[in-house]
Amino acid sequence: MTTEYVTAPMPGVFYRRPDPDDPPLVEVGDDVTEGDKVALIGVMKNFHDVTASHDGTVTDVLVDNEAEIEAGQELIELTIDD
């Protein structure tokens, strides 16, 4: 098993869900496929998808919802089967 991280492609505000009333896009223990939307980054009222960089299982969400983030910051930890 290998650990990989989904990183922020740009600075902004991290959102775990598309709408405050919606469930989070991913939870710890969820399986994801490369390209799945796992979070959003808000920049100047525009929202950009954050996608899984690998197939794997979410083992940790490293950032609080609505936290300000920097480009390249690790957001979500994935465990990848080798």
Side-chain angles (χ1 to χ4, degrees), residues 3-80:
T3 300
E4 295 285 342
Y5 295 92
V6 177
T7 58
M10 65 188 72
V13 177
F14 177 79
Y15 292 96
R16 293 189 63 196
R17 58 191 86 215
D19 186 86
D21 296 329
D22 290 342
L25 292 165
V26 293
E27 293 280 4
V28 172
D30 287 352
D31 291 325
V32 296
T33 301
E34 182 178 351
D36 283 354
K37 182 168 41 175
V38 295
L40 298 167
I41 295 177
V43 180
M44 309 240 349
K45 298 185 180 181
N46 290 307
F47 294 91
H48 304 272
D49 294 347
V50 177
T51 58
S53 53
H54 298 82
D55 296 352
T57 302
V58 175
T59 51
D60 201 1
V61 178
L62 305 169
V63 179
D64 291 333
N65 191 50
E66 299 187 25
E68 291 197 24
I69 56 171
E70 298 295 327
Q73 184 173 345
E74 295 173 345
L75 304 174
I76 295 174
E77 182 181 87
L78 299 176
T79 298
I80 311 298

